[in-house]
Amino acid sequence: MDVVDPQDIVQIEDAVRRFVQTEVKPHLDAWEEAGEFPRSLYQRAADLGWLAMGYPESLGGTPAPWALRNAMTVALARQGGSGGLMASLFSHNIGLPPVVRHGSAALQQEVIPDVLAGKKIAALAITEPGGGTDVSALRTTARRDGDDYVVNGEKVFITSGVRADWLTVAVRTDLQNKGPMGISMLMVPGDAIGLSRVPLKKMGWLCSDTAQIRFDGVRVPARYLVGEEGAGFKIILTNFNGERLSMAAMALGFAECCYDEAVDWARQRKTFGMALVDHQVIRHKLMDMKMRIESTRAWLQAVSARADAGEQGDKAAKGAEWVAQVCLLKNHATQTMQFCADQGVQILGGMGFMRGTACERIYREVKVMMIGGGAEEIMKELASRQLGL
Ligand SMILES: Cc1cc2nc3c(=O)[nH]c(=O)nc-3n(C[C@H](O)[C@H](O)[C@H](O)COP(=O)(O)OP(=O)(O)OC[C@H]3O[C@@H](n4cnc5c(N)ncnc54)[C@H](O)[C@@H]3O)c2cc1C
């Protein structure tokens, strides 16, 4: 297992703080209003080394254990307080892993280095208008025609879907097989003829790019298939583990962001002749937040340490138990975020209802964290099955 130097974590946290203070905070409200952030931010995140964290050196990456990646994720969520920014800026972390694990060497070289360098944007497209939870029922088809696949269908709620240069798309290649075994993964270039995309309006993640995408006879070279035909469902399931672990880290950071803002406010705001924080009820609210934050942090560290030790690749019982831990951790972390956003808004009072406070934004953003990447109900169901119930 890689041992992380605590100094590396301090350095990452400092770099995140500087980046957020100078390059995010002054503009965030305007980006939220505009419904997008500048594309140049990908280049900045790449220059800072954050896009490449956890990827192989041969593809332009910097191998990094989960402990280090989490440090960056938690710090960015805590300092920046914007899920929309993080979801889009790091959409490659759900789009690229299937290519890293299963793509041919040529496909990896064609797609991955430019994305990690901040020159191109990658997204993952699984969810369809007909449903996201029941992945095995997806209907987008890719029919083989000579050296190409011809893709027809529709995807929805796709993060970075409008901007993406590469879409990792779940398609049905075996048109006779309506279940999981008929599914494959295909890389579709964003500029492919027949591909159209429409931005969607949302409750939160306002500066994030979220799209509905149509494929009308889109021709894709067969060499863009990721892994074997029919292996898509398994690829999708494996990919979810990393996404859920990252979402738990994000949720922890957002919970801490609410706590920090609530503490600052409670120290400054006076009612009945004293600071809010001097009222016992308010201090107890803060401690209820802190208690959940610390349990989430400890659990995240424990599950990540097991991933760094290689347990997520273990097909035996320990691997299944780890998958259950990831599912339950995602639920716990997002519930912590929800609780802290709720208490944060309450402590800020009317100000907590105002645009521009982190608590207000995070309060609107929590539901997508509880639905995306595997909804709460599904996390419980999957965990219970992994535990043999
Ligand atoms: C802002 C945003 C960004 C997203 N980004 C992406 C992306 O980049 N790529 C991508 O592919 N998808 C993305 N998604 C889609 C997301 O992953 C799905 O919304 C999620 O998987 C749920 O699918 P659904 O919305 O179709 O809900 P449904 O599948 O219709 O389910 C609706 C509700 O019913 C519950 N439910 C379903 N089945 C059961 C059951 N058997 N038992 C009990 N309860 C059940 C679910 O938990 C859910 O709460 C995004 C979504 C949003 C909102």
Side-chain angles (χ1 to χ4, degrees):
M1 188 194 350
D2 303 311
V3 178
V4 176
D5 183 344
Q7 202 48 40
D8 289 344
I9 294 188
V10 172
Q11 272 178 10
I12 284 187
E13 289 172 348
D14 281 350
V16 167
R17 197 169 297 115
R18 279 196 302 276
F19 172 73
V20 168
Q21 288 307 329
T22 56
E23 298 178 58
V24 175
K25 277 271 164 74
H27 312 291
L28 186 57
D29 290 341
W31 296 341
E32 289 275 284
E33 282 292 324
E36 61 178 9
F37 59 83
R39 209 182 151 115
S40 57
L41 229 53
Y42 290 91
Q43 191 61 63
R44 282 296 294 135
D47 293 346
L48 288 160
W50 298 338
L51 297 190
M53 278 176 95
Y55 290 86
E57 264 169 321
S58 58
L59 298 171
T62 316
W66 275 102
L68 215 51
R69 281 185 266 167
N70 287 346
M72 189 272 290
T73 306
V74 173
L76 201 49
R78 182 175 184 175
Q79 301 295 330
S82 169
L85 177 70
M86 292 184 73
S88 276
L89 206 51
F90 295 101
S91 60
H92 71 292
N93 282 342
I94 54 174
L96 291 189
V99 193
V100 175
R101 291 199 198 98
H102 307 278
S104 67
L107 185 60
Q108 290 178 346
Q109 286 299 340
E110 187 171 351
V111 173
I112 297 172
D114 278 353
V115 176
L116 300 186
K119 294 180 189 148
K120 297 223 163 135
I121 296 172
L124 178 72
I126 296 174
T127 307
E128 302 190 344
T133 303
D134 187 3
V135 174
S136 66
L138 66 84
R139 292 197 201 141
T140 298
T141 56
R143 181 177 45 80
R144 186 72 190 247
D145 183 28
D147 290 337
D148 294 336
Y149 284 99
V150 180
V151 184
N152 282 288
E154 209 165 351
K155 299 287 175 181
V156 74
F157 312 146
I158 306 307
T159 301
S160 293
V162 175
R163 285 178 166 180
D165 301 290
W166 287 105
L167 292 148
T168 309
V169 185
V171 290
R172 187 166 297 286
T173 40
D174 183 347
L175 308 191
Q176 308 311 316
N177 188 330
K178 303 285 179 218
M181 302 317 287
I183 296 172
S184 304
M185 298 301 278
L186 194 60
M187 297 307 291
V188 178
D191 59 3
I193 294 165
L195 189 138
S196 53
R197 20 198 190 176
V198 179
L200 299 172
K201 290 204 181 292
K202 311 179 287 289
M203 174 199 285
W205 283 14
L206 300 183
C207 68
S208 163
D209 157 12
T210 312
Q212 178 134 2
I213 303 178
R214 271 189 66 85
F215 304 85
D216 288 306
V218 175
R219 293 195 85 85
V220 179
R223 68 174 193 281
Y224 287 168
L225 184 73
V226 181
E228 311 255 304
E229 257 197 22
F233 190 67
K234 223 169 147 198
I235 294 175
I236 293 166
L237 292 193
T238 317
N239 200 38
F240 273 136
N241 292 324
E243 179 178 7
R244 289 165 187 162
L245 204 48
S246 294
M247 288 182 81
M250 277 170 75
L252 169 62
F254 292 132
E256 291 192 278
C257 182
C258 294
Y259 176 81
D260 293 343
E261 192 175 59
V263 169
D264 276 356
W265 182 262
R267 287 203 167 117
Q268 289 171 35
R269 186 78 170 173
K270 288 207 165 53
T271 66
F272 301 96
M274 60 171 97
L276 271 184
V277 76
D278 291 328
H279 295 291
Q280 189 184 42
V281 168
I282 299 296
R283 285 201 306 278
H284 287 194
K285 281 185 196 297
L286 291 166
M287 290 307 98
D288 282 338
M289 293 162 84
K290 191 76 178 157
M291 182 177 73
R292 288 163 171 83
I293 286 169
E294 294 308 333
S295 65
T296 304
R297 192 195 319 283
W299 199 356
L300 176 69
Q301 282 169 356
V303 176
S304 302
R306 287 179 62 183
D308 286 337
E311 275 187 44
Q312 86 269 35
D314 185 354
K315 296 213 171 41
K318 256 169 46 179
E321 200 268 335
W322 180 82
V323 172
Q325 290 277 327
V326 172
C327 295
L328 297 176
L329 168 63
K330 181 188 178 262
N331 281 2
H332 182 70
T334 51
Q335 285 174 14
T336 294
M337 175 181 168
Q338 185 179 45
F339 181 84
C340 291
D342 182 60
Q343 295 299 300
V345 168
Q346 195 69 23
I347 291 171
L348 265 68
M351 189 54 79
F353 200 68
M354 295 298 122
R355 286 282 163 99
T357 64
C359 287
E360 184 272 341
R361 187 168 49 248
I362 292 169
Y363 190 88
R364 280 184 288 105
E365 289 183 349
V366 73
K367 285 316 286 186
V368 69
M369 298 287 284
M370 301 176 115
I371 292 168
E376 259 196 345
E377 298 82 352
I378 302 308
M379 291 300 86
K380 288 185 217 174
E381 187 57 21
L382 178 56
S384 66
R385 278 193 272 119
Q386 298 292 319
L387 296 176
L389 300 184

